[in-house]
Amino acid sequence: MIDIISSLAIPLLVLFVVFYGFIKKTDVYTSFIDGSKESFPMIYNLFPTLLAMMLGINLLLESGIFDLISSTIKKFVDVPSEIIPLALLRPISGSSALAILNNIYINNGPDSLIGKLASVIQGSTETTFYILSLYFSIIGVKKIKYALKVGLLADAIGIIVSFILVNLLWN
Amino acid sequence: MVNKIWIFFIIFGIIGCVITGKIDSLNAIILNSTKESLEMVAKIFPVMALWLGIMNIASISGLLAKLSLKISPVLSFLFPELKKDDPALGLIASNIIANLFGLGNAATPFGIKAMQALQEKNPEKDTATRSMITFLVINTSGLTIIPTTIIALRMFHGSKNPTEIVLACLISTMLSTFIGLAIDRLYGRKK
């Protein structure tokens, strides 16, 4: 069921928008071309930001700081050791988090408790750093005030809630 | 803020690699990052162009304005700074709806347009406004009904019940979004 919904969502959305434009006698084709052109200035602003971010994040990932933090946290809290790197990297790097999730599925299975916990963490949080730098860089905002703090707090809450929920539901 | 974080990432990253004896891989990482970011742009760019085109049809045909009227009672509570007929509202609504249905690719261009609309009325162009931050809190807290990527990945790894986690994800993301918005409110009022 969810399969069908998610595979039909995009085609239906496109159909609906084009059909609505047709009814309202909009120049649908020209509107599409004009809108599409706006992607060029966006990418122009986006590429340098992405480059800077990837460079910083990749260097930090390789430095081993996350292993250090993981093992420190492990000393104080009783959390499965596979989950800590996922929780730490989730706000910073979407692709690393996905790679960790993939490994957890391979090593523990998607239906294990750890597999479920990892699924829920991944499914209920977002790559905060990426989103903030993407949106703010495109419009040229440099002073982001409390945005990062609130974004990271929301991630932390999502992770804690996932942990409690998974234990309540399946443990 | 971003400046300090970046400096920390670079300095700590390079020194950390030197200390842990990964000097050999440093060069590869620096060069690979350039490649990776270009690949990311190559991935995002065409999708963005597509959705910006589709969205412009929705905007010119009046669909967006209609949508924002429907959803404006909820949004005007979340964004007290915006007027009821602000063009940003329709874009914010489209972004949230696309996110809810797991259409992350479509959500991003809507979100960018929403941010641009907010920026037009921003008196200090280099500083984030309260509405911008509220909008991004909704985005960074990952509000979605169907986490499509995870369901697909669970299926791929042979899960007996790939959609089993959907409800837990929904509760968790809703709670973190609400609490995130509450914290955002507190910060926004402080000023």
Side-chain angles (χ1 to χ4, degrees), chain B residues 1-74:
Chain B
M1 183 77 172
V2 180
N3 183 40
K4 279 182 199 147
I5 292 171
W6 200 64
I7 294 172
F8 169 80
F9 277 22
I10 300 282
I11 293 180
F12 206 98
I14 294 181
I15 293 176
C17 285
V18 172
I19 291 172
T20 50
K22 288 175 195 148
I23 303 169
D24 295 338
S25 50
L26 264 176
N27 281 303
I29 291 162
I30 292 171
L31 286 176
N32 272 335
S33 303
T34 59
K35 216 177 84 187
E36 247 178 81
S37 48
L38 187 61
E39 280 166 1
M40 241 167 140
V41 166
K43 236 194 288 177
I44 301 170
F45 189 15
V47 183
M48 220 150 135
L50 170 76
W51 286 108
L52 285 169
I54 297 289
M55 193 175 50
N56 200 39
I57 302 174
S59 163
I60 289 184
S61 64
L63 186 61
L64 273 185
K66 212 176 157 188
L67 180 72
S68 60
L69 271 181
K70 285 240 167 72
I71 204 167
S72 72
V74 184

Side-chain angles (χ1 to χ4, degrees), chain B residues 6-190:
Chain B
W6 200 64
I7 294 172
F8 169 80
F9 277 22
I10 300 282
I11 293 180
F12 206 98
I14 294 181
I15 293 176
C17 285
V18 172
I19 291 172
T20 50
K22 288 175 195 148
I23 303 169
D24 295 338
S25 50
L26 264 176
N27 281 303
I29 291 162
I30 292 171
L31 286 176
N32 272 335
S33 303
T34 59
K35 216 177 84 187
E36 247 178 81
S37 48
L38 187 61
E39 280 166 1
M40 241 167 140
V41 166
K43 236 194 288 177
I44 301 170
F45 189 15
V47 183
M48 220 150 135
L50 170 76
W51 286 108
L52 285 169
I54 297 289
M55 193 175 50
N56 200 39
I57 302 174
S59 163
I60 289 184
S61 64
L63 186 61
L64 273 185
K66 212 176 157 188
L67 180 72
S68 60
L69 271 181
K70 285 240 167 72
I71 204 167
S72 72
V74 184
L75 288 184
S76 57
F77 170 74
L78 287 175
F79 300 92
E81 287 181 338
L82 301 180
K83 291 206 183 84
K84 272 214 164 93
D85 57 345
D86 195 300
L89 283 177
L91 297 162
I92 291 173
S94 319
N95 167 273
I96 295 174
I97 291 168
N99 267 324
L100 282 176
F101 288 100
L103 307 175
N105 285 332
T108 309
F110 294 154
I112 293 167
K113 293 283 284 181
M115 289 293 279
Q116 285 176 335
L118 293 174
Q119 176 75 337
E120 264 174 39
K121 292 189 179 149
N122 184 2
E124 294 169 84
K125 296 291 177 205
D126 66 336
T127 309
T129 65
R130 191 179 158 186
S131 305
M132 286 177 184
I133 298 177
T134 305
F135 173 63
L136 290 186
V137 168
I138 299 173
N139 270 276
T140 56
S141 64
L143 189 62
T144 184
I145 299 173
I146 314 163
T148 40
T149 317
I150 289 141
I151 295 172
L153 200 62
R154 285 171 62 82
M155 247 179 222
F156 177 78
H157 286 283
S159 167
K160 287 195 191 83
N161 190 355
T163 55
E164 189 180 19
I165 44 90
V166 170
L167 185 68
C169 285
L170 188 62
I171 297 172
S172 168
T173 191
M174 272 169 64
L175 269 174
S176 69
T177 306
F178 286 142
I179 298 172
L181 284 173
I183 299 169
D184 167 62
R185 241 315 124 106
L186 288 178
Y187 270 109
R189 279 209 181 136
K190 244 198 241 170

Side-chain angles (χ1 to χ4, degrees), chain A residues 83-100:
Chain A
I83 295 296
I84 301 171
L86 178 71
L88 283 177
L89 288 177
R90 181 67 182 123
I92 301 170
S93 165
S95 53
S96 333
L98 209 58
I100 296 172

Side-chain angles (χ1 to χ4, degrees), chain A residues 83-139:
Chain A
I83 295 296
I84 301 171
L86 178 71
L88 283 177
L89 288 177
R90 181 67 182 123
I92 301 170
S93 165
S95 53
S96 333
L98 209 58
I100 296 172
L101 181 70
N102 201 39
N103 272 333
I104 291 176
Y105 286 163
I106 293 170
N107 296 330
N108 302 282
D111 294 323
S112 65
L113 194 67
I114 291 175
K116 281 174 186 161
L117 178 57
S119 311
V120 178
I121 289 177
Q122 180 84 14
S124 61
T125 48
E126 256 296 344
T127 321
T128 299
F129 272 85
Y130 171 73
I131 292 177
L132 290 184
S133 39
L134 174 104
Y135 285 118
F136 280 133
S137 74
I138 283 180
I139 60 168

